[in-house]
Amino acid sequence: MQDVVVDNIPGLLSPTENSWTAASLPLGAGIPDLVVVSYKPQVFALAQVELQDAQILAYLRAVGKASLKTIAERMGGTPNKLSSRLYSLVEAEAVVSSCNSFSLNPAWRQILPEIVTIEIKVANWQRAVEQAARNRIFAHMSFVALPEKIALRIRTEPILRKLGIGLISVTDNGIAISIRKPRRKPPSVWTYYYQLASILARSRAN
C-alpha cells in the first residue's frame, strides 16, 4: 500500500519542484510512514552542521534574539562550546550575528514551507489516527491512508474532524484518492522541524 501512496503523491499533494519524500524517519516520539517536505534551497547549508544544532535554531525561533551566554545557559553547554556551533550556523546563513547577540535568519522561519505526513494502515484505523495526530507536532498537515472499504466507512468519524486529520482511500487497483482534507496548522515543536531540515539536507547532499 505504501508504494501505491508514493506513486500517487503528485496527484494527492501537488508537491513543488523542491520537494522530498522519505519513509520511516525517526522524528519526535514516532516514525511516520511517509513524510513529504517542500523546502527552500538554502536548507542544504545544514548538511555541514551538527544535527543537534536544530535545538539552537528552534530556541532562536522562539525567543527572537539572545546572547551567547543566554543561549549557553538554555542549551546546557559552555559558551566556548556553543560559540563554535553558533558560528557554524552563521556561516550557513541560518543565524545572524549582530551586536554580541544571535537571531534566526528570517528566511529560516519557513525553510520548510510545507511538511505533510501520511500514516498507512491496512486495518487498524484507530492506531493510524493516533499516530497521525502525534505527527502534527512537526507537520503542517497529517493524513491517514487506508484501504478503500475502511476509508469510506470512517470518513465521517468525528475524531478526524476534531484532530484535523486528512483521509486517503487506496483502491485495490492502485489508485489513492484524498477523500477528506486535513486542517493545516503550524508545527508546535520546532526542534523536530529543524531536525527534519537537517536530515533532508544531509540526505540530498549524499
Side-chain angles (χ1 to χ4, degrees):
M1 248 179 61
Q2 181 166 303
D3 290 342
V4 172
V5 174
V6 170
D7 289 344
N8 283 267
I9 280 175
L12 289 168
L13 303 179
S14 300
T16 63
E17 180 180 350
N18 292 331
S19 67
W20 177 69
T21 301
S24 302
L25 285 182
L27 281 167
I31 304 176
D33 291 329
L34 289 176
V35 182
V36 183
V37 186
S38 66
Y39 60 86
K40 295 179 181 178
Q42 298 97 309
V43 75
F44 296 129
L46 289 185
Q48 308 305 319
V49 301
E50 297 296 325
L51 188 61
Q52 63 183 351
D53 290 341
Q55 293 177 309
I56 296 175
L57 297 175
Y59 174 71
L60 291 176
R61 193 184 200 285
V63 301
K65 183 180 292 188
S67 67
L68 172 59
K69 180 181 177 181
T70 300
I71 296 169
E73 289 173 351
R74 297 296 183 270
M75 297 290 102
T78 65
N80 284 342
K81 188 175 292 186
L82 264 294
S83 178
S84 62
R85 291 171 59 190
L86 274 164
Y87 280 104
S88 291
L89 291 170
V90 171
E91 288 182 9
E93 299 185 353
V95 168
V96 177
S97 174
S98 176
C99 301
N100 298 316
S101 66
F102 298 87
S103 59
L104 187 69
N105 183 328
W108 283 72
R109 294 184 68 84
Q110 299 295 333
I111 197 68
L112 306 179
E114 187 167 271
I115 302 169
V116 180
T117 60
I118 305 173
E119 289 295 336
I120 303 166
K121 289 285 184 289
V122 296
N124 191 346
W125 68 266
Q126 292 98 334
R127 177 63 175 157
V129 170
E130 178 184 322
Q131 292 171 329
R134 181 189 58 219
N135 293 340
R136 299 207 72 189
I137 64 175
F138 62 85
H140 297 91
M141 295 187 291
S142 187
F143 285 89
V144 295
L146 300 162
E148 183 179 29
K149 288 183 180 178
I150 300 174
L152 293 175
R153 190 179 78 237
I154 72 158
R155 68 186 302 177
T156 58
E157 284 286 337
I159 191 68
L160 296 175
R161 182 175 64 255
K162 179 181 178 181
L163 297 176
I165 305 298
L167 180 59
I168 295 170
S169 169
V170 182
T171 67
D172 291 336
N173 60 348
I175 298 174
I177 303 168
S178 174
I179 61 172
R180 186 181 185 92
K181 291 183 178 180
R183 186 164 61 245
R184 183 185 171 92
K185 74 169 191 61
S188 57
V189 179
W190 293 101
T191 298
Y192 298 153
Y193 177 91
Y194 289 110
Q195 282 179 356
L196 178 57
S198 294
I199 293 168
L200 185 160
R202 289 164 180 263
S203 174
R204 294 301 295 268
N206 292 334

